[in-house]
Amino acid sequence: MGKWTKKHYEKAPCAHCGGIGCCYCDKTGCVLVATPRRTCPHCGGVGCIYCGFTGWAGLKGKYD
Ligand SMILES: [Zn+2]
Ligand SMILES: [Zn+2]
């Protein structure tokens, strides 16, 4: 077991649907990302497979 570090998350608008809601953001229009939030370095915030099509790096759930 590694050291427990508490992460903070904030809501960010889903880049794939623009806030309307889609399968990538669980139909909420936004996603939880590690704060401070950063756009995905692979796509620049447009959405790609690395960010789960949300446009954000540090998505909650995938990497925690
Ligand atoms: Zn969405
Ligand atoms: Zn991306």
Side-chain angles (χ1 to χ4, degrees):
M1 298 291 271
K3 224 187 270 182
W4 172 256
T5 50
K6 189 165 172 61
K7 273 189 163 183
H8 294 279
Y9 295 92
E10 63 181 287
K11 281 185 175 180
C14 173
H16 187 261
C17 63
I20 301 168
C22 66
C23 59
Y24 300 113
C25 57
D26 218 11
K27 300 207 167 33
T28 60
C30 56
V31 290
L32 280 175
V33 297
T35 188
R37 62 190 198 183
R38 298 170 291 127
T39 53
C40 172
H42 298 279
C43 63
V46 180
C48 67
I49 58 167
Y50 297 104
C51 55
F53 300 97
T54 63
W56 298 99
L59 268 190
K60 180 169 171 48
K62 287 199 154 184
Y63 307 110
D64 64 355

